[in-house]
Amino acid sequence: MELKEQILKALGLSSEVKFEVQAKLVDGTIIVSTADALAESVDISVLTEDGTTIELPIGEYETEDGFTFVVEEAGIIATIGEAEV
């Protein structure tokens, strides 16, 4: 089961929500985007426990998959890269 489906099932929501990207940050926060992939200038939000989204605040982030990105304007990825090994 895809992360998106797990989230929707846990929240009791229908699959009509159109998030193309779903990922988890190293701190466990679930992030979503309507873009096809995490990239510069795409929208990025936090999926809250009640199923709503809020813009990801300004800061530096790392996903469990090893991608890092910087948000310089709330809800928009400014730069993206891979975590240093």
Side-chain angles (χ1 to χ4, degrees), residues 38 61-63 65-70 79-85:
L38 292 180
Y61 300 93
E62 182 178 345
T63 67
D65 297 337
F67 288 99
T68 60
F69 60 93
V70 176
T79 59
I80 193 161
E82 290 193 29
E84 294 180 16
V85 179

Side-chain angles (χ1 to χ4, degrees), residues 15-81:
S15 60
E16 293 180 23
V17 178
K18 301 294 182 193
F19 295 123
E20 297 297 324
V21 172
Q22 309 89 38
K24 191 180 278 190
L25 299 178
V26 292
D27 68 0
T29 302
I30 298 171
I31 56 171
V32 294
S33 177
T34 57
D36 292 336
L38 292 180
E40 293 178 4
S41 303
V42 302
D43 66 285
I44 192 76
S45 299
V46 174
L47 183 63
T48 64
E49 290 182 11
D50 65 2
T52 60
T53 60
I54 56 172
E55 292 179 336
L56 189 64
I58 295 169
E60 295 181 19
Y61 300 93
E62 182 178 345
T63 67
E64 287 184 338
D65 297 337
F67 288 99
T68 60
F69 60 93
V70 176
V71 175
E72 292 178 349
E73 176 184 336
I76 306 292
I77 296 176
T79 59
I80 193 161

